[in-house]
Amino acid sequence: LRKAVEQLPAHYQTAIILRYIEEFSYEDIAKTLDLPLNTVRTHLRRAKQQLRLAIEKDSQPKTWEGL
């Protein structure tokens, strides 16, 4: 999971860390980053989507090319 978070754009990383590591509320993230609340919600939603895709990609079985 850490590797997937590190692959996110910086603004998504920051939102994820503040929300899930630092346990900030959405409102506190908005104030801290000086962003509208809906922008914070959008950043978190898109970050979670990207994380979900990255984790799914990593969990897929590897195939042998040409066999």
Side-chain angles (χ1 to χ4, degrees):
L1 183 58
R2 178 176 289 179
K3 180 180 172 185
V5 171
E6 290 173 354
Q7 299 301 314
L8 292 172
H11 58 284
Y12 290 171
Q13 283 183 38
T14 301
I16 289 290
I17 290 167
L18 290 175
R19 178 70 179 140
Y20 297 104
I21 305 299
E22 301 297 330
E23 300 182 354
F24 279 33
S25 68
Y26 283 41
E27 292 81 6
D28 289 340
I29 296 169
K31 289 177 188 173
T32 300
L33 300 179
D34 194 28
L35 294 171
L37 182 57
N38 282 335
T39 301
V40 170
R41 289 181 175 138
T42 299
H43 285 186
L44 286 166
R45 186 182 73 246
R46 290 178 181 170
K48 288 186 282 186
Q49 288 172 338
Q50 288 186 18
L51 288 171
R52 190 175 302 115
L53 290 173
I55 290 168
E56 287 172 359
K57 181 180 173 186
D58 271 355
S59 67
Q60 290 179 354
K62 307 296 184 229
T63 60
W64 294 93
E65 298 286 330
L67 291 181

